[in-house]
Amino acid sequence: MTDLRLVPAALAAWGTAFLAVGAAPVAVLRGASLAAALLGVVLGGVLLGARRARRGTAAGPGTATSLRAARVPSGPGDRRRPSGPGRPVRPGQPVRTGQPVRWGLTGRVLGQVALVVACVAAVLLSAGAQLADRQALADLAGQGATATATATVRSAVVPRSNPWSGATDRHEVRVSLHDLTARGVTTAAGGTVVVTGTGDGWEGLPYGASVVVTGRLAVQGDRTMLRTEGPPRVVEPPGVFLRGVHAMRRGLLDATEGLSPQARGLVPGVAVGDTSRLDPVLADAMRTTSLTHVTAVSGGHFAIVVACVAGLCVLARAPRWARVLITGAAMAGFVVLVHPEPSVLRAAAMGVVGVVGIALGRPSRAVAALAAGVVVLLVLDPALARSYGFVLSVAATAGLALLTSPLAARLAPWCGRTTAQVVAVPVAAQAACAPVLVLLDPSVSTWSVPANLLAAPALGPATVLGVLATVVAPWWPAAATALGWAAGIFTGWIAGVAEAFAGLPGARLPWPGGVGGLVLLALGTVVLLAVVLRSRALREAGERRAARRASSPPLRERAARVVRVTRRRWSGDRRGKGWPGTTPRRPRPSPGQVVAGALAVVGLVALVVALVRPLVVTTGPVPQDWAVVACDVGQGDALVLRSGPRSAVVVDVGPPGAAAGGCLDRLGVDRVDLLVLSHFHADHVGGLDAVLRGRAVARALVTATADPPEQAERTLAALTGAGVPVEVAQPGATGSSGGVDDVDGRQDAGASGDPGTGGVRWEVLQAGVGGVPTSAARPSTAPTALTESDGGANDASVALLLHVAGMDVVALGDLEDAGQAALARTLAQRGSGPVDVVKVAHHGSATQSDRLAELLSPTVALVSSGENTYGHPTDRALDLYRGVGATVLRTDTCGTFALVVRDGLLAAAGCG
């Protein structure tokens, strides 16, 4: 029976850590104090119950908590029974009947509550201390400050690709801080920072080295970033042991340099998780077939290496203490070799529990070991609760521990025990991990189970040979090359399996993203598992098949039986009851049951279609069939909507510089059918000169509020100098750009008639709070009644509804509270429904309207931002739009990315 006693404690620790990481240090430490006080109360109850149980006063002899003790009379003349051989009993001493003390339900519940509260208190205390240590970093990052950090490298360097060219021109590395210098003050600081930047020299950055790096801090979701123009500077190399590890990893890359392309990338990936040379096409095929765990150095690799070491110890007849020491040393060495990633830490924690079990001579249990490992790791590092790698690792292990045996038992009658066990392993892992993977990639891998089934036999030899090549590489390069070549044979099989299945039709199907998609897939998985594991028909069929296989009669007897049955049928004898020893068929379902099942299927499909709309997010360059592109212009906006083969509608042009113009150049846009400048702030109109240079602009649509006046005058002068007609946006105005109906290029201010087919159709939803009822051809530069503090220029933003390639796109400019509230009222009065895409207001600032987000309920929320001192985008904005079911895409993390529509499905490319 599965031991689940530690599972509630692990779940409570996980939930506590997840919440605590995002809270204030003071609140977390107060929670730790309350949890400690509650633990004291619970322990007091446990001790009181134990004391009463020992005295036998809690209940009578027949109850669960009774000691079955009898009091011995202590009066004169009473004879006392000895409580043991030759041992008299003192007056008043209870006499035990030989049964052990048994705690009842109350005792077990109290013990479980005490364990849960203890784990919660430990996690809160650890999280509070670590958050207090990281407070200085959090404050500076929230302000976007420029800082110089002294830190230690804690990961391998990860290359990042340019979405336009596919070239690797950016790198990331994770470091742990020692101190931080910002604004002339140096303070001791803790926490983890992801350093990202361009330039050469990143590849040789050794793990464990002390470095100094200067850049601008920023917050991206749960990560703190430090953006720099070059690699960190090494001020102190790592210790001797870590230098040896670095030499091994470097030696493996050198030893595999001359191998085949797949071996150059996969052998280091399988052995130590180094994917720096993995071919992007092969990497995409492995993602499609859910084989990325091969290069992720998951717990499976850890288990293979430790199992080999333990097996050698058994063959050598090593005593228990030697097995414990050697296995523990192998685990520690492998963790350092592959670097302590979340999956490896989880596997190491489980391994430690197992080694302790070996040392104590007690067998370990998978679920109990997993729960104990989770609690230990979350106490040491509560931030793991929000790590996708850690979640996937734990989910896969739990799936293997809980589902493999039942699935194998159900499949065994059909394919034999060995085959059933082999098939059950990838099915269990996929069932556990698929709902979590939807959060990272909103799609479902159709061929993941057969692909993993075929690739699994090659993973073990490839891992062992790759690790051996790594170990011998520094001092015997020729042997390392030979071992790497042998490992390449097995990785070649894995690569072939990935590419073959990825090339099959429907290899990856779109699925709803976000929490809705996770819940939907989890429910579907549970229903399917319940059908497979609990179906009476399948169980009976399996039992019949097993019985027939176990007692199958000889061929002669089976042939005679067929002859007898045939004779009865020809003679009209229909009274036979079927094959001897078989059970009658189950009755067919009633029409009501059929209808109920059909309605359930239809309801599930409707839930997928109606509640959560699918979005596929892929990596790679911006595709040729782009429909909408969010240009990465830094801290500013530049949105491009295709209106023709080489023409587009452009909404805002970003800050001063050539970023927006360069984006249009790369897209091949040499004509702007409509240029919309939502308002005159520099981060929306500063890049105008680069956009006008070398391009024909048919017309421009601007706000009536010329604020700030100097910037507005400069912008209008540039448009006039380029010969661009300028029109003031009016609420309710409609028009079209590109397509067959855009003949005269004039704004159709009427509400009647089709505004145009093809190209881009547009409508002005709002142009200032309450509208700007003016017929002026150009905005007035006279002082406006609304000031910056009132949200004047921002709330005067032109808000647009655009229709392109079947998508409804809403661009909100920089609307503040009043502007968003007014637009929400307008949309509610119109009865507007959900849209496909929203350009989030004001670069994802904290000023966001909950009502407007709910009314729009977009499939995609675009956030255009860059390095800034305002904290954009804020968690408030990101969480708001994620909460209404949107997939949030950001230019500060994705760079320039595109939206495309293929076969009626919306997809994002260039971000991943």
Side-chain angles (χ1 to χ4, degrees):
M1 184 177 178
T2 305
D3 186 357
L4 302 177
R5 288 176 294 179
L6 291 180
V7 171
L11 294 176
W14 200 318
T16 302
F18 187 90
L19 296 175
V21 168
V26 175
V28 174
L29 291 174
R30 287 176 180 171
S33 302
L34 293 175
L38 179 59
L39 178 61
V41 173
V42 175
L43 289 178
V46 171
L47 294 175
L48 181 60
R51 183 177 179 183
R52 289 181 175 178
R54 283 196 301 270
R55 291 182 176 180
T57 59
T63 63
T65 58
S66 173
L67 292 175
R68 295 183 180 269
R71 290 283 179 180
V72 179
S74 58
D78 288 336
R79 299 181 61 182
R80 301 171 183 168
R81 289 185 301 168
S83 59
R87 295 179 60 185
V89 179
R90 294 189 302 272
Q93 179 181 354
V95 179
R96 305 181 186 271
T97 63
Q99 269 192 322
V101 175
R102 293 186 300 170
W103 287 81
L105 179 62
T106 302
R108 289 194 296 271
V109 170
L110 283 176
Q112 190 66 251
V113 171
L115 179 62
V116 168
V117 175
C119 293
V120 168
V123 169
L124 287 174
L125 185 61
S126 174
Q130 294 183 33
L131 287 172
D133 193 36
R134 300 169 185 171
Q135 188 63 47
L137 172 64
D139 292 341
L140 291 172
Q143 300 167 10
T146 298
T148 299
T150 302
T152 301
V153 177
R154 291 304 182 198
S155 76
V157 176
V158 179
R160 297 298 183 190
S161 298
N162 187 307
W164 292 102
S165 63
T168 300
D169 57 4
R170 189 165 54 93
H171 298 80
E172 289 184 1
V173 66
R174 192 174 68 251
V175 301
S176 60
L177 290 182
H178 301 314
D179 58 64
L180 204 59
T181 301
R183 297 168 181 169
V185 178
T186 300
T187 58
T192 300
V193 173
V194 178
V195 180
T196 179
T198 57
D200 300 325
W202 289 82
E203 292 80 2
L205 198 62
Y207 181 89
S210 295
V211 296
V212 173
V213 58
T214 300
R216 184 178 293 276
L217 292 166
V219 178
Q220 290 185 1
D222 294 330
R223 302 197 306 172
T224 301
M225 310 293 293
L226 183 64
R227 296 190 175 91
T228 180
E229 298 300 326
R233 178 171 57 89
V234 177
V235 295
E236 184 178 351
V240 176
F241 181 68
L242 290 180
R243 285 203 301 271
V245 170
H246 183 69
M248 290 181 185
R249 294 174 64 99
R250 186 72 253 174
L252 177 64
L253 293 177
D254 295 338
T256 56
E257 179 65 33
L259 300 181
S260 63
Q262 63 83 17
R264 288 180 70 250
L266 273 183
V267 172
V270 169
V272 295
D274 189 333
T275 58
S276 58
R277 298 192 308 201
L278 188 62
D279 180 27
V281 176
L282 178 57
D284 187 63
M286 296 178 70
R287 258 192 308 272
T288 300
T289 54
S290 293
L291 285 172
T292 51
H293 63 88
V294 169
T295 57
V297 189
S298 62
H301 299 72
F302 196 97
I304 290 171
V305 173
V306 173
C308 290
V309 173
L312 291 176
C313 291
V314 172
L315 290 177
R317 298 180 180 276
R320 180 185 298 172
W321 64 268
R323 296 203 306 269
V324 171
L325 290 179
I326 295 173
T327 305
M331 286 193 300
F334 188 67
V335 168
V336 177
L337 181 64
V338 301
H339 300 161
E341 298 297 331
S343 62
V344 178
L345 289 176
R346 189 271 313 157
M350 283 193 63
V352 169
V353 175
V355 169
V356 172
I358 294 174
L360 298 176
R362 300 181 62 182
S364 60
R365 298 181 179 181
V367 176
L370 174 63
V374 166
V375 171
V376 171
L377 290 176
L378 290 176
V379 170
L380 295 177
D381 186 4
L384 288 175
R386 298 192 178 192
S387 166
Y388 278 110
F390 188 69
V391 174
L392 288 170
S393 180
V394 174
T397 305
L400 293 174
L402 296 173
L403 297 177
T404 300
S405 295
L407 287 172
R410 179 67 70 229
L411 295 173
W414 303 92
C415 56
R417 291 183 180 179
T418 303
T419 305
Q421 190 73 22
V422 171
V423 173
V425 169
V427 172
Q430 184 68 15
C433 294
V436 181
L437 289 172
V438 166
L439 296 177
L440 298 173
D441 182 5
S443 59
V444 176
S445 178
T446 310
W447 304 105
S448 59
V449 171
N452 278 271
L453 193 62
L454 291 176
L459 181 57
T463 301
V464 174
L465 291 171
V467 172
L468 289 176
T470 306
V471 173
V472 304
W475 52 277
W476 196 359
T481 300
L483 290 168
W485 177 84
I489 297 175
F490 296 98
T491 59
W493 171 258
I494 296 173
V497 169
E499 291 171 345
F501 279 99
L504 293 178
R508 202 157 191 88
L509 299 178
W511 188 265
V515 178
L518 180 148
V519 173
L520 196 62
L521 186 56
L523 289 176
T525 302
V526 170
V527 170
L528 184 60
L529 289 173
V531 170
V532 173
L533 298 178
R534 306 290 296 178
S535 172
R536 182 179 176 184
L538 289 177
R539 184 175 67 253
E540 291 177 350
E543 291 172 354
R544 290 196 298 270
R545 182 177 177 86
R548 285 197 298 269
R549 293 180 61 184
S551 58
S552 179
L555 179 60
R556 180 181 301 176
E557 184 177 341
R558 293 202 300 271
R561 181 179 297 173
V562 171
V563 171
R564 289 195 300 270
V565 171
T566 304
R567 285 177 178 175
R568 284 199 300 268
R569 289 180 177 175
W570 277 103
S571 63
D573 183 7
R574 304 281 178 158
R575 294 175 295 175
K577 299 299 182 181
W579 296 101
T582 61
T583 58
R585 291 184 178 180
R586 297 181 65 193
R588 293 183 178 181
S590 65
Q593 292 174 324
V594 173
V595 172
L599 289 177
V601 173
V602 172
L604 184 62
V605 174
L607 186 63
V608 174
V609 175
L611 295 186
V612 192
R613 288 155 287 168
L615 175 70
V616 179
V617 183
T618 62
T619 57
V622 173
Q624 295 297 319
D625 59 341
W626 61 270
V628 178
V629 170
C631 295
D632 181 12
V633 293
Q635 181 66 11
D637 280 359
L639 192 65
V640 184
L641 300 93
R642 171 169 262 158
S643 57
R646 299 187 64 84
S647 61
V649 170
V650 179
V651 181
D652 290 328
V653 293
C663 180
L664 294 177
D665 292 339
R666 289 187 288 270
L667 291 173
V669 174
D670 52 23
R671 171 183 166 85
V672 177
D673 291 322
L674 176 66
L675 174 62
V676 180
L677 300 177
S678 64
H679 60 297
F680 291 109
H681 277 163
D683 56 340
H684 293 255
V685 300
L688 181 60
D689 291 340
V691 171
L692 295 175
R693 190 179 305 119
R695 251 175 296 274
V697 179
R699 54 181 164 167
L701 194 65
V702 300
T703 178
T705 303
D707 183 20
E710 299 82 2
Q711 189 68 48
E713 189 65 30
R714 192 160 43 245
T715 300
L716 296 173
L719 291 172
T720 301
V724 179
V726 178
E727 303 173 21
V728 174
Q730 300 184 36
T734 61
S736 65
S737 300
V740 297
D741 289 346
D742 186 22
V743 178
D744 58 2
R746 291 182 303 170
Q747 176 179 344
D748 177 15
S752 63
D754 185 357
T757 58
V760 179
R761 301 197 306 272
W762 52 269
E763 177 186 359
V764 178
L765 297 175
Q766 185 169 294
V769 178
V772 182
T774 176
S775 58
R778 296 166 61 88
S780 172
T781 57
T784 177
L786 293 175
T787 65
E788 229 12 70
S789 60
D790 300 321
N794 287 342
D795 272 338
S797 295
V798 178
L800 289 173
L801 170 63
L802 306 108
H803 187 82
V804 57
M807 288 185 288
D808 290 324
V809 182
V810 172
L812 297 176
D814 276 2
L815 293 179
E816 301 285 355
D817 276 328
Q820 293 184 50
L823 181 57
R825 287 193 297 271
T826 301
L827 295 178
Q829 291 169 2
R830 290 173 42 154
S832 300
V835 299
D836 298 294
V837 182
V838 166
K839 199 290 295 181
V840 177
H842 204 176
H843 320 292
S845 72
T847 304
Q848 303 292 332
S849 166
D850 293 3
R851 187 185 181 199
L852 181 60
E854 291 172 0
L855 287 171
L856 295 173
S857 294
T859 301
V860 183
L862 306 181
V863 181
S864 183
S865 64
E867 294 184 3
N868 62 88
T869 59
Y870 310 107
H872 299 163
T874 62
D875 290 340
R876 148 104 173 119
L878 301 178
D879 293 342
L880 173 63
Y881 278 92
R882 286 174 182 147
V884 296
T887 298
V888 178
L889 302 178
R890 303 161 47 180
T891 58
D892 62 333
T893 56
C894 297
T896 297
F897 60 88
L899 299 178
V900 299
V901 178
R902 295 170 181 166
D903 298 327
L905 295 177
L906 178 60
C911 181

